[in-house]
Amino acid sequence: MIEHRILFVCLGNICRSPMAEGVFRHLVAARGAAGRFQIDSAGTGAWHVGEPPDGRAQEVVRDRGIDISAQRARRVELDDFERFDMLLAMDRSNRTALQRLAPEAHRDKPLLLLSFAPDCKRRDVPDPYFGGADGFDYVLDLIESASAGLFEALVGRDRFV
Ligand code: 4NP
């Protein structure tokens, strides 16, 4: 039974949020919890709708055994606020965009992904699009840390109840 519906959100939906979708999907499957989660990603901008993830994003996650090549970019839709429990923004600018778009009843759903990363002083996952490959490695480290924290926050507790 699906208990947690998570949408990862960035600007273009070709770099950060597809990586987060792939990493979190992988983590949840590795912990035997795939059936409990609905996971997707979307962008607040529409420039890249229909495109696969950026080649640099695909490569950096492939090095850690994760294939995101089948993903296709889409834009956040109003319906997403109904369909998902949490919309996890990669940075404050995307969270603001989501808060502006959110229907009144769902204003509390946009959150920052890095609020789940333990001991992380950063609030924003930096946009790697205009930088080099190093930027994608760093983004992946932040996403992996936040994904583990997110899983712990949602499922970790259940083991003790
Ligand atoms: P993302 O990266 O938000 O992590 O997918 C970007 C991708 C494309 C653009 C900006 C950021 N762009 O300006 O086209």
Side-chain angles (χ1 to χ4, degrees), residues 10-18 47-48 94 127-130:
C10 63
L11 183 57
N13 194 212
I14 55 166
C15 298
R16 292 165 291 176
S17 62
W47 306 282
H48 298 281
N94 283 297
D127 183 348
Y129 186 65
F130 294 105

Side-chain angles (χ1 to χ4, degrees), residues 50-120:
E51 293 178 19
D54 185 285
R56 297 165 294 178
Q58 291 196 38
E59 197 175 316
V60 76
V61 299
R62 196 184 307 123
D63 284 348
R64 299 191 201 182
I66 301 169
D67 180 3
I68 59 170
S69 62
Q71 291 188 35
R72 293 296 176 266
R74 72 170 180 90
R75 193 175 197 180
V76 174
E77 296 164 3
L78 265 185
D79 206 33
D80 289 323
F81 291 93
E82 303 281 345
R83 292 177 51 224
F84 294 92
D85 305 318
M86 277 182 184
L87 287 81
L88 295 180
M90 296 298 134
D91 58 32
R92 281 168 282 180
S93 141
N94 283 297
R95 184 183 56 174
T96 301
L98 290 174
Q99 285 167 335
R100 292 205 176 114
L101 196 62
E104 191 69 43
H106 302 302
R107 287 268 152 82
D108 58 339
K109 289 187 174 179
L111 299 171
L112 289 175
L113 175 69
L114 290 189
S115 65
F116 291 97
D119 304 322
C120 181

Side-chain angles (χ1 to χ4, degrees), residues 143-156:
I143 286 172
E144 285 194 328
S145 167
S147 293
L150 176 63
F151 187 85
E152 198 55 34
L154 294 175
V155 176

Side-chain angles (χ1 to χ4, degrees), residues 1-14:
M1 193 189 68
I2 292 178
E3 297 162 35
H4 307 288
R5 298 163 181 82
I6 314 286
L7 184 69
F8 295 100
V9 178
C10 63
L11 183 57
N13 194 212
I14 55 166

